[in-house]
Amino acid sequence: MIKELVKEDFATDLAQGAVLVDFYSKTCGPCKMLSFILKDIDKTYGEKVKIIKVDFEENPDLIEEHDVEGYPTLIMFKDGKELSRKAGLQQKPVIINMIEEAL
Amino acid sequence: MAKTVGYEFKEHLIQKQAKAEAAMLKEFRNGNFTMEKPLIKYNPYFVNDLAAVMLFRTEEETAITVRVLGKAKEGDFYQTFPKGKEHVLPIVGLYSNYENKIEVYPYQKYSQKVVHTIKTPEVAGAKLVEYMETTPEYMQDNVIFLCPAVSDLAIAVDYAGDVRLNFTVPMVWDIKRSPNGNILLGSERLMKMPYFVSGIYEMSPVGKIYKEYRVPHGYHHDQITLPNGDIAALNCDLDNGTVEDMAVIIDKDTGHVKRTIKFSNFIKPGSQKSGSWSDEDWFHCNAIWYDEPSNSLTFSGRHINAMVNIDFDTEELNWIISDPEGWPEEYQQFMFKPIGEGEFDWQYEQHANLITPLGDVMCFDNHHYGSQNPDKYLSANDSFSRGVKYRIDTDKMEIEQLWQYGKERGKEFFSPYICNVLYYNEGHYLTHSGGIAFDGEGNASEQLGPFAKIDDPSVTLESITVETINDEKVLELKVNSNYYRANKFTLYSKDGNNLSLGRGQLLGSLGETPQMDYDIPAEDTGELLPEKHQAHITDEVDMFTFESKFEKGQLVMLLLESEKEIRRYFISTSRGERGAMCTGTFLTDDDRDTRTVVTKEGLDGAYKVKVIVDDKKYDTGITITA
């Protein structure tokens, strides 16, 4: 399930299950490419994984809180705990590995 | 209107040299060239424009002595070549813009000497030397060889500060002399920005390339020859989306990879973060060293502020030299405790680790940021860099600082990147601070040299190389540019033949370029990629390079379409933050420039090159064949 960030729900969303957070920018080519890949991955995993998209420019507080240095950055959470992160555009198998480790 | 984007086929230097050498030998065989009237070919291998080849025949089989005369007697370079009737002699160590005199005579028959003149043009590197302070007695016929960190290319400097070798091709990374007398250094063939190149050249200083050991996914920084002749070289774990965190063992004969060593198997990414750390470049390995007595490898991880030693066979962690602050508990058992009465400093963002014959560990301590703790980071003006030697006790896990050079010079000697040390003997070391940069007001630059120079032309770059014997300075060379590492050797090798004829070899493989496994929906326009993108394709024997300009944030993908398949390669148009930059030789000053290299491995047949820009697909008019 892919959704755009709803700030008031973010803490609750992170707290349970496997959550992949995509810190992206609208002005970033690799982020656009990554969004295609994430849509494809979402077709495979459906409800098993929440994919939350966080706009880098509009959420400086979350950027600082999660120590995100650039975009795109993917962070995989399991029950609120960060399991892994990848900076830059990633290939589908790499993202699938991140998800599988969290399931 | 053009029907294709720009295109050229670029011959590999090995092929280009083979043709030039064949033409040179044909001219030689068709002429009557004697010692008195030889054939002289200036820079015949296109690489060193302070070199030449002299060819002639003698009636008797004889050895020939060559003496390249210095401006003073102490500047002579000389070599005797083996017996023969046909003589093809490399001439190295010429001066720039000078009527160079070359003495040639049959071995031990000085009375028969003939003097020839080779007039050279002004070469690019000749004016970079600020000063050389040493004595001819100390230097003898050695030169200090400097390899590039910016757009100034490799040079070699003699005792008097004269440049005696000047490369015209951007061969990069560390230069090491092989046991057979040849030199090993990185190729000029860029595979991936900012500085990952296709492999390692084995060549002679005259410029002839004998082998290219191709390194899958790009070579960077350093290599070392193992006791059996194989080469251990640094490359990248691209499959994992990271860089500078892998090494390969390359077969000396075939060039094929025999073994891969992934650093994430012994250090968990993110365990320590230096000031320059990033997710992608989490280790930033800038040196590899093999130690035979302990059968171990030591890697210098700039972005973990650590020198990491592993067992060569098992790859198990032996020890880590690093400030222990901030390292997870699981690594503390591998850390050392400082002892001794003398001064002790940990090293930060170090380069070029090595182990001496006595088992001591040396490196160039850039001391960039000077702490594991971001709250205590040093400004560039308050920083220093140094060569340092530690003694370690792996039973007691104790460490003692035995020697350092450079801290006392403060910011004048501060290099936030690159540099090296060399061990000659106990108490006799080279310390090369090659990444010094100052702004127009004399402040040490917070930016690395290549970036600082692009942003501000008033920035000055410097490189200072010092040699000490028992703490007494015996050499100081200052050059007005940044240089990655310094090495010292003679231009004529006493151990090798200095020039072998015949075509060089292209060994090993470049690896298959990772494809993007997802398609972008796009409308096929059937049109040529618009001229505003200034696209250009450089085709080579084993790869091609697509260069083009795109605006930040555009979605761009390169496609190779054949009758059997479509291959997709993503082109990043993200300018992003500037990362570590150990050689800015390939940087451009237009941040719209993109450069995408695709190796021909895995390709089969003819492929049309197309480009998707946002939601439109364009043709380039170019077909690549593999």
Side-chain angles (χ1 to χ4, degrees):
Chain A
M1 174 184 61
I2 296 184
K3 65 181 216 176
E4 278 291 330
L5 171 76
V6 179
K7 225 163 190 174
E8 45 273 29
D9 297 344
F10 191 54
T12 317
D13 282 337
L14 282 192
Q16 279 195 332
V19 184
L20 182 66
V21 182
D22 170 25
F23 292 90
Y24 75 100
S25 165
K26 294 186 186 85
T27 60
C28 152
C31 302
K32 291 175 188 170
M33 186 68 228
L34 186 60
S35 71
F36 284 112
I37 298 170
L38 291 177
K39 277 179 195 166
D40 197 41
I41 284 175
D42 183 53
K43 284 179 197 162
T44 308
Y45 286 93
E47 297 296 318
K48 288 185 195 166
V49 178
K50 272 181 269 184
I51 300 173
I52 302 176
K53 296 179 69 64
V54 178
D55 189 312
F56 193 91
E57 276 97 6
E58 290 178 8
N59 296 283
D61 50 338
L62 292 181
I63 300 308
E64 193 179 340
E65 184 184 334
H66 293 283
D67 200 18
V68 177
E69 296 185 337
Y71 46 77
T73 294
L74 290 173
I75 306 183
M76 189 73 225
F77 292 90
K78 169 83 171 177
D79 297 334
K81 189 184 166 198
E82 178 179 333
L83 287 189
S84 59
R85 74 165 62 194
K86 292 279 178 192
L89 177 61
Q90 302 299 324
Q91 295 277 20
K92 196 168 151 186
V94 174
I95 302 168
I96 286 173
N97 273 347
M98 292 174 79
I99 292 171
E100 289 294 332
E101 281 173 14
L103 291 178
Chain B
M1 186 182 135
K3 289 180 181 164
T4 71
V5 302
Y7 174 86
E8 68 170 324
F9 184 82
K10 188 177 166 193
E11 271 187 334
H12 193 289
L13 258 176
I14 284 177
Q15 172 69 5
K16 201 173 157 189
Q17 290 188 348
K19 284 185 183 172
E21 188 177 87
M24 176 174 75
L25 293 175
K26 187 178 176 189
E27 185 180 353
F28 175 48
R29 282 173 188 136
N30 289 341
N32 182 25
F33 297 102
T34 63
M35 193 172 76
E36 290 72 26
K37 289 189 176 174
L39 173 63
I40 297 176
K41 288 288 180 187
Y42 168 71
N43 189 15
Y45 297 108
F46 316 109
V47 170
N48 176 6
D49 56 9
L50 294 178
V53 172
M54 186 182 290
L55 308 93
F56 58 86
R57 288 183 200 87
T58 49
E59 289 186 8
E60 303 294 322
E61 192 168 77
T62 180
I64 296 288
T65 300
V66 169
R67 184 175 283 264
V68 179
L69 299 183
K71 289 180 177 174
K73 187 172 174 294
E74 293 82 0
D76 290 1
F77 295 144
Y78 41 83
Q79 179 75 5
T80 295
F81 294 91
K83 270 185 171 183
K85 286 187 174 179
E86 285 199 340
H87 307 278
V88 182
L89 310 175
I91 307 296
V92 293
L94 302 176
Y95 292 93
S96 167
N97 191 24
Y98 190 67
E99 291 199 351
N100 292 272
K101 302 294 182 189
I102 321 296
E103 280 185 2
V104 188
Y105 54 93
Y107 181 62
Q108 294 184 329
K109 293 175 182 169
Y110 186 67
S111 60
Q112 294 185 28
K113 79 166 160 88
V114 182
V115 180
H116 297 290
T117 301
I118 300 176
K119 174 78 179 78
T120 48
E122 178 86 39
V123 303
K127 288 185 173 171
L128 292 172
V129 177
E130 178 77 20
Y131 61 76
M132 168 68 106
E133 294 170 351
T134 187
T135 63
E137 292 77 19
Y138 173 70
M139 272 292 273
Q140 304 203 11
D141 58 344
N142 287 295
V143 289
I144 298 290
F145 203 124
L146 300 171
C147 43
V150 292
S151 56
D152 295 313
L153 305 184
I155 56 172
V157 183
D158 72 4
Y159 80 99
D162 285 309
V163 169
R164 306 292 293 273
L165 172 146
N166 184 76
F167 275 9
T168 57
V169 175
M171 295 173 183
V172 293
W173 302 124
D174 189 36
I175 298 169
K176 287 194 171 79
R177 179 149 252 168
S178 173
N180 66 8
N182 295 330
I183 57 175
L184 295 166
L185 76 168
S187 81
E188 85 289 6
R189 301 198 303 139
L190 184 66
M191 279 185 73
K192 176 176 160 62
M193 284 294 281
Y195 49 49
F196 303 103
V197 296
S198 61
I200 301 159
Y201 284 149
E202 180 179 335
M203 61 186 293
S204 63
V206 76
K208 172 73 182 284
I209 299 168
Y210 303 117
K211 292 173 184 170
E212 181 183 355
Y213 292 99
R214 290 178 291 186
V215 177
H217 303 319
Y219 165 68
H220 64 92
H221 284 96
D222 200 12
Q223 42 77 22
I224 191 162
T225 302
L226 300 173
N228 69 355
D230 288 347
I231 295 171
L234 298 176
N235 73 336
C236 302
D237 192 359
L238 289 187
D239 292 338
N240 194 39
T242 50
V243 295
E244 304 183 39
D245 55 350
M246 205 159 89
V248 285
I249 309 296
I250 295 171
D251 185 284
K252 66 181 189 302
D253 298 317
T254 65
H256 287 127
V257 171
K258 293 165 90 171
R259 198 174 128 196
T260 295
I261 301 168
K262 286 187 171 199
F263 303 168
S264 57
N265 289 341
F266 47 86
I267 298 283
K268 191 177 169 193
S271 299
Q272 181 59 269
K273 298 178 180 179
S274 81
S276 299
W277 184 92
S278 70
D279 283 303
E280 183 190 39
D281 195 6
W282 65 274
F283 194 99
H284 192 95
C285 188
N286 56 43
I288 179 169
W289 186 266
Y290 176 76
D291 180 52
E292 195 163 7
S294 60
N295 188 36
S296 67
L297 289 168
T298 307
F299 301 106
S300 166
R302 179 181 189 250
H303 292 181
I304 55 171
N305 289 331
M307 294 182 271
V308 179
N309 181 272
I310 62 163
D311 184 89
F312 181 80
D313 295 322
T314 66
E315 297 180 20
E316 283 177 6
L317 199 53
N318 288 325
W319 48 256
I320 299 170
I321 297 179
S322 180
D323 177 351
E325 183 181 355
W327 279 91
E329 189 56 37
E330 65 188 286
Y331 296 105
Q332 293 294 334
Q333 59 179 308
F334 301 105
M335 304 269 172
F336 293 92
K337 181 185 170 193
I339 59 159
E341 300 295 309
E343 194 178 12
F344 184 92
D345 287 301
W346 291 111
Q347 86 291 348
Y348 298 94
E349 298 209 343
Q350 76 294 320
H351 281 75
N353 57 211
L354 62 85
I355 297 183
T356 74
L358 297 184
D360 299 326
V361 181
M362 294 180 70
C363 71
F364 186 89
D365 170 19
N366 298 74
H367 220 78
H368 192 207
Y369 297 110
S371 177
Q372 305 281 40
N373 182 348
D375 295 335
K376 296 179 185 169
Y377 282 171
L378 297 174
S379 71
N381 269 337
D382 294 329
S383 292
F384 62 86
S385 294
R386 60 190 187 136
V388 64
K389 184 167 90 166
Y390 298 114
R391 175 152 296 165
I392 55 172
D393 184 321
T394 55
D395 272 342
K396 295 180 175 175
M397 296 307 285
E398 290 175 343
I399 186 167
E400 183 178 6
Q401 182 177 306
L402 296 183
W403 168 87
Q404 75 85 35
Y405 175 86
K407 182 178 179 181
E408 63 285 357
R409 296 183 69 161
K411 70 176 181 181
E412 177 211 10
F413 204 65
F414 172 58
S415 285
Y417 79 126
I418 59 174
C419 312
N420 71 311
V421 289
L422 292 177
Y423 172 95
Y424 299 125
N425 209 330
E426 283 303 292
H428 187 189
Y429 315 119
L430 173 148
T431 307
H432 170 71
S433 187
I436 302 164
F438 292 105
D439 67 19
E441 294 172 353
N443 295 304
S445 171
E446 295 289 348
Q447 276 193 305
L448 306 188
F451 296 138
K453 193 74 183 165
I454 285 175
D455 291 347
D456 178 4
S458 74
V459 164
T460 56
L461 305 182
E462 296 175 4
S463 163
I464 298 177
T465 310
V466 172
E467 293 197 2
T468 50
I469 298 178
N470 297 329
D471 294 326
E472 186 183 331
K473 190 160 65 178
V474 289
L475 177 151
E476 179 162 323
L477 167 65
K478 183 174 176 184
V479 179
N480 294 316
S481 187
N482 278 177
Y483 278 99
Y484 172 60
R485 286 193 190 186
N487 246 298
K488 185 171 74 175
F489 44 73
T490 57
L491 287 178
Y492 281 122
S493 162
K494 310 301 178 195
D495 306 315
N497 60 9
N498 292 288
L499 175 59
S500 297
L501 299 177
R503 186 190 163 82
Q505 296 173 280
L506 203 50
L507 300 175
S509 76
L510 294 176
E512 199 171 321
T513 304
Q515 295 178 62
M516 183 47 69
D517 48 16
Y518 196 84
D519 196 12
I520 299 175
E523 173 201 348
D524 192 345
T525 64
E527 296 170 4
L528 195 67
L529 183 65
E531 277 184 28
K532 67 178 180 183
H533 295 298
Q534 298 176 39
H536 187 272
I537 290 173
T538 306
D539 197 3
E540 297 183 54
V541 62
D542 53 359
M543 65 186 201
F544 75 91
T545 305
F546 175 77
E547 292 170 280
S548 193
K549 292 181 192 296
F550 297 102
E551 297 302 324
K552 181 188 173 191
Q554 283 195 298
L555 183 59
V556 185
M557 188 180 273
L558 184 72
L559 304 178
L560 293 185
E561 295 184 355
S562 77
E563 289 179 358
K564 296 181 217 163
E565 61 173 340
I566 300 175
R567 289 177 166 243
R568 303 173 181 87
Y569 306 93
F570 183 74
I571 297 176
S572 178
T573 55
S574 170
R575 286 170 203 167
E577 282 192 23
R578 289 164 167 181
M581 179 54 59
C582 283
T583 173
T585 304
F586 303 106
L587 281 182
T588 68
D589 55 8
D590 186 338
D591 61 9
R592 294 173 304 155
D593 289 341
T594 66
R595 183 172 180 141
T596 306
V597 173
V598 179
T599 73
K600 292 186 177 175
E601 241 157 83
L603 271 60
D604 180 20
Y607 293 81
K608 287 182 178 172
V609 183
K610 300 194 175 182
V611 183
I612 291 176
V613 184
D614 293 323
D615 54 357
K616 300 231 173 348
K617 182 155 83 173
Y618 298 97
D619 204 349
T620 65
I622 300 297
T623 298
I624 294 290
T625 306

